[in-house]
Amino acid sequence: MMSFERYEGLSQRYSRMSPFLSMLVVFALLTAFMVFVPVANQSYAGGGGWLPDAMVQLFGKILCFALLAVALDLVWGFCGILSLGHGAFFALGGYAISMNLIYATADEKLAQITDPIVRDDAVKQSIFSVVGQGEDPWPWFWMLADQFWFQAAMVLVVPGLLAFGFGWLAFRSRVTGVYLSIITQALTLALGYLFIMNEFGLRGNNGLSGLQNVLGASMTETSTKATLFIASGIALMAGYVLTLFLTQSKFGSVLRGIRDDEDRIRFLGYAVEGYKVFAFVVSAMMAGVAGALFAPQAGIINPDSFGPLKSIEVAVWVALGGRGLIYGAIVGAVAVNLLRSALTGGWINQIGFGVVSIDVSGVPWPEFWPIVLGLLFVLVTLLMPRGLMGLWHSMLALIWRRLLRGWVVADADPTTPGSGTAGAVGQPEDAAKAQHVVASA
């Protein structure tokens, strides 16, 4: 057995290393998954594996949703900003890259036209004739749509600028809590109505569809689908690293202090608005990248992505997995989207309760899905306020305290304050600890 003092030192060391150990576990699982899916699909050997092509695309889109959930967790879980407008940043990123993809797709179909000016006009006719604007001049923001590098930059710039402008006005006005959530939802609705208008220059309610050309590669090829799936996984890893770097630094300590007691952090002399704006902008850019990777895998992006339910659903993912835990957001996004696919895709035809089995094959799940989502949110809020990963941590703590700790630590007293049990299982810091870190920084 080890002494209690040695146990304290080890538990504190583990508490500091726990986020990085969690990252390594998540990365190991993601890497294995990113290798398994293309191999099972035989994506780089012409396809034909036992895993269908549609599943490769589904998994790629779920990884994009996971990145979107991590983006929201950065501002909600660590800074206390419940944004119900992240669907807008996601959609803007998707629209930005889709402008290049739809241009490239139309240009490829009209490759037989050798005159560049004539072909450019023909491409415009092909894109906008669906909404009766084929004879109008190019909208000004389409002038560089043929340049992939420019549209890729817009994936970051457009959501970032919108988040900066909105965040600067809202946070400078000290709008917080439910009022901020309502304003972010209103912003999403306003953008949705704007993009529905045909006159806006983005094909109105039809959206940008038929995205079949990605840097010269066809989306009908299994290798292209697998490459985008892998790119989505790499982007998720990068978003995880960025979020972990920010939240485990002095910047992250200030964010947690703002989340727990904003007035006290402001009294200590920190520029609270600057911290919140920076976190909001970074989060919006991450959401834009998620949307840019999602659009070609879905083959379409339209104003429906600005819908209120989309942004609320992201909040449900984070709450279900456990906010304030980066991997919790990933778990929530994956679990909810797999459940939706299982229900709406006809994977589940019967639900069994012991000897009782209920046939659900005739249930119109697409129409009932918002109800299922709402019930999930209510149940999580009432029964698991810390989410699935929070419940997992509580179970580990209980097992350690009741069964194992007395065998390992000499003279262990589970009721001793500051025993380090929370740190040993990697639970988030409480408000007092976060404020103490900020005050002593």
Side-chain angles (χ1 to χ4, degrees), residues 87-395:
F89 304 131
F90 180 85
L92 288 173
Y95 265 99
I97 203 65
S98 296
M99 289 169 64
N100 174 262
L101 301 184
I102 195 172
Y103 186 100
T105 301
D107 188 63
E108 182 183 33
K109 293 179 180 178
L110 299 169
Q112 70 277 9
I113 303 177
T114 56
D115 188 318
I117 297 178
V118 175
R119 185 164 67 181
D120 195 57
D121 290 338
V123 167
K124 183 189 179 295
Q125 287 277 352
S126 174
I127 294 174
F128 287 105
S129 60
V130 69
V131 291
Q133 294 179 300
E135 302 299 328
D136 297 337
W138 276 104
W140 62 269
F141 50 85
W142 278 84
M143 293 303 176
L144 292 175
D146 60 328
Q147 302 296 320
F148 180 84
W149 65 268
F150 179 79
Q151 295 303 136
M154 291 301 103
V155 169
L156 297 174
V157 172
V158 174
L161 284 178
L162 177 63
F164 178 81
F166 174 84
W168 183 256
L169 293 174
F171 301 143
R172 290 274 293 181
S173 302
R174 300 191 180 182
V175 180
T176 58
V178 66
Y179 302 104
L180 181 63
S181 300
I182 292 172
I183 294 176
T184 55
Q185 185 78 98
L187 173 68
T188 305
L189 282 170
L191 286 173
Y193 285 126
L194 182 65
F195 275 64
I196 286 175
M197 298 170 57
N198 290 339
E199 296 79 6
F200 190 60
L202 288 168
R203 306 210 318 173
N205 201 42
N206 296 277
L208 305 181
S209 57
L211 311 177
Q212 297 297 320
N213 188 308
V214 182
L215 291 175
S218 174
M219 281 301 299
T220 60
E221 298 292 333
T222 56
S223 58
T224 307
K225 297 174 183 177
T227 300
L228 280 171
F229 163 76
I230 294 173
S232 301
I234 293 173
L236 177 57
M237 289 182 177
Y240 196 116
V241 170
L242 177 60
T243 304
L244 185 65
F245 172 77
L246 291 175
T247 55
Q248 294 303 310
S249 63
K250 178 182 176 180
F251 177 84
S253 298
V254 176
L255 284 187
R256 286 189 289 273
I258 293 172
R259 175 194 66 191
D260 297 329
D261 195 336
E262 182 174 330
D263 291 334
R264 182 173 181 179
I265 300 304
R266 183 177 283 109
F267 178 76
L268 290 172
Y270 287 89
V272 170
E273 291 77 15
Y275 281 90
K276 294 171 75 172
V277 168
F278 183 81
F280 198 62
V281 169
V282 172
S283 177
M285 288 181 172
M286 290 170 58
V289 172
L293 288 167
F294 173 84
Q297 296 181 86
I300 185 174
I301 188 77
N302 57 35
D304 183 59
S305 299
F306 291 96
L309 185 60
K310 301 294 183 182
S311 296
I312 295 174
E313 190 171 358
V314 182
V316 175
W317 302 342
V318 177
L320 177 66
R323 64 189 182 100
L325 299 168
I326 307 173
Y327 51 89
I330 297 175
V331 169
V334 171
V336 173
N337 282 284
L338 283 178
L339 176 62
R340 176 174 59 183
S341 298
L343 293 177
T344 61
W347 301 357
I348 301 176
N349 294 320
Q350 288 186 337
I351 299 178
F353 300 94
V355 295
V356 180
S357 180
I358 302 176
D359 183 9
V360 295
S361 57
V363 177
W365 288 115
E367 289 79 7
F368 277 92
W369 174 246
I371 300 175
V372 175
L373 189 66
L375 288 175
L376 274 176
F377 188 72
V378 171
L379 291 176
V380 167
T381 303
L382 295 177
L383 304 179
M384 294 184 295
R386 294 175 55 210
L388 291 173
M389 290 298 98
L391 178 63
W392 169 252
H393 284 310
S394 299
M395 292 172 59

Side-chain angles (χ1 to χ4, degrees), residues 394 396-406 414-415 421:
S394 299
L396 287 181
L398 181 63
I399 294 172
W400 172 256
R401 186 167 57 248
R402 296 291 178 85
L403 300 178
L404 301 177
R405 189 176 171 203
T415 63
T421 303

